[in-house]
Amino acid sequence: MSVRKRSLRMLAGTVSALALVLSFGSTSASAAPADGAAGKTVTSGWNDWSCKPSAEHPRPVVLVHGTTENSWDNWFVLAPYLVKRGYCVYSLDYGQLPGVPVFNGLGPIEKSAEQLSAFVDKVQQSTGAPKVDLVGHSQGGGALPRYYLQFLGGAAKVDQLVGIAPSQHGTTASGLNRLVDGVPGLRKLVGKAVPAAEQQLAGSEFMKKLNANGDTVPGVKYTGIVTKYDEVVTPYKTQFFTGPNTRNVVVQDLCKLDVSMHLGVGTIDKIAFHEVANALDPAHATPTTCASALG
């Protein structure tokens, strides 16, 4: 078995195990039904290319999944949640590796940012909106959209970035980076097998470039939504945005009972999602409490 396949199997196993544990802890998560006749997933109103933004919510929302995730499994709760609130909502797949189905967000982040750029252009053309809002999880909430904003002209097309558990300053991955750096040649092997994984580790050349000029670009607003129990993007405070027009929220400051870890906060945590809604529409924001999990 190749290094790439072994690495992907380990990643897939970790994500699957976390998803199984988290599913038992949530009564609010429910998978969308499959349309057996068409063989397609029912997406409860998102990725509707006939959608036109309302005056109340004039900017489409583009959802950007995390590493090993995809345009559906990351958003089967949040996308309908936002559609119900009157938003035009879209999600994309990016970062595919040849011969690797389902698990996306694995390829070089620079190439993934080009995919995001093309998708935003498509959403703008379809909706007629001059700007969009980006909401992302993990890589999709930090490293990837920030690269797009800084280096691919995205700042002119984006009003705000809302990052859920955003990977953006280099993660220690609960100490895994020490193993990678402690074995000669291992970081290089990881980079070849799963480029995005190596790029998000603390000390990577990608992270050095991304953060050389700070976290923000003029004209864009930033919100970080973080769980202190994150075991993937560590230390969790490295997820915070710093600089002008930034705001950071720790979900446990809003509800001490929230025990979401990295996967859960981005896929099923309605406390986090209530803060997403507040960020998207601050004029109508309401307090986020433990009761928000029932919304």
Side-chain angles (χ1 to χ4, degrees):
M1 185 182 293
S2 69
V3 172
R4 173 178 288 180
K5 288 183 178 179
R6 286 197 298 271
S7 300
L8 290 172
R9 179 167 290 182
M10 291 174 64
L11 283 167
T14 300
V15 170
S16 298
L18 282 169
L20 181 62
V21 171
L22 288 163
S23 68
F24 284 110
S26 172
T27 58
S28 62
S30 59
D35 182 345
K40 296 180 180 180
T41 300
V42 177
T43 54
S44 302
W46 90 88
N47 281 341
D48 176 3
W49 295 99
S50 67
C51 188
K52 298 300 179 184
S54 65
E56 184 180 8
H57 300 306
R59 293 185 303 277
V61 178
V62 175
L63 302 176
V64 191
H65 66 74
T67 310
T68 76
E69 296 172 310
N70 61 55
S71 61
W72 179 78
D73 68 4
N74 205 150
W75 307 122
F76 68 95
V77 176
L78 180 58
Y81 181 94
L82 294 176
V83 168
K84 183 179 179 180
R85 284 157 177 77
Y87 291 92
C88 292
V89 180
Y90 303 88
S91 61
L92 77 155
D93 286 304
Y94 71 85
Q96 302 89 340
L97 290 180
V100 181
V102 182
F103 298 102
N104 298 328
L106 305 173
I109 296 175
E110 299 90 340
K111 295 295 183 182
S112 296
E114 294 176 4
Q115 292 177 277
L116 174 59
S117 179
F119 190 81
V120 168
D121 289 349
K122 180 180 178 181
V123 169
Q124 287 182 296
Q125 291 167 6
S126 175
T127 62
K131 288 192 175 185
V132 306
D133 289 330
L134 302 179
V135 177
H137 177 221
S138 193
Q139 177 189 163
L144 170 58
R146 282 188 52 212
Y147 188 92
Y148 164 61
L149 294 173
Q150 287 189 46
F151 301 110
L152 298 182
K157 303 173 183 179
V158 174
D159 184 75
Q160 63 177 312
L161 167 61
V162 181
I164 308 171
S167 172
Q168 58 174 335
H169 293 120
T171 177
T172 65
S174 294
L176 182 62
N177 70 311
R178 291 197 296 271
L179 171 63
V180 171
D181 290 331
V183 177
L186 183 56
R187 181 181 277 266
K188 185 175 181 179
L189 286 174
V190 172
K192 287 184 176 180
V194 189
E198 188 279 328
Q199 288 180 308
Q200 291 174 86
L201 287 176
S204 72
E205 292 303 314
F206 177 87
M207 282 295 166
K208 292 176 183 177
K209 177 180 178 180
L210 182 67
N211 293 299
N213 297 310
D215 295 358
T216 64
V217 294
V220 180
K221 298 183 288 291
Y222 298 79
T223 301
I225 301 171
V226 174
T227 172
K228 69 179 183 180
Y229 299 123
D230 200 306
E231 81 291 11
V232 175
V233 182
T234 56
Y236 77 90
K237 289 185 178 179
T238 62
Q239 300 175 25
F240 292 171
F241 291 105
T242 60
N245 296 318
T246 61
R247 175 175 174 265
N248 299 289
V249 178
V250 179
V251 293
Q252 285 76 28
D253 291 342
L254 306 172
C255 176
K256 293 182 179 180
L257 301 178
D258 192 325
V259 295
S260 293
M261 298 170 74
H262 184 78
L263 184 63
V265 76
T267 56
I268 60 175
D269 189 340
K270 287 193 175 180
I271 293 168
F273 296 165
H274 190 267
E275 278 300 296
V276 171
N278 281 347
L280 294 175
D281 188 7
H284 298 95
T286 58
T288 301
T289 67
C290 293
S292 301
L294 304 176

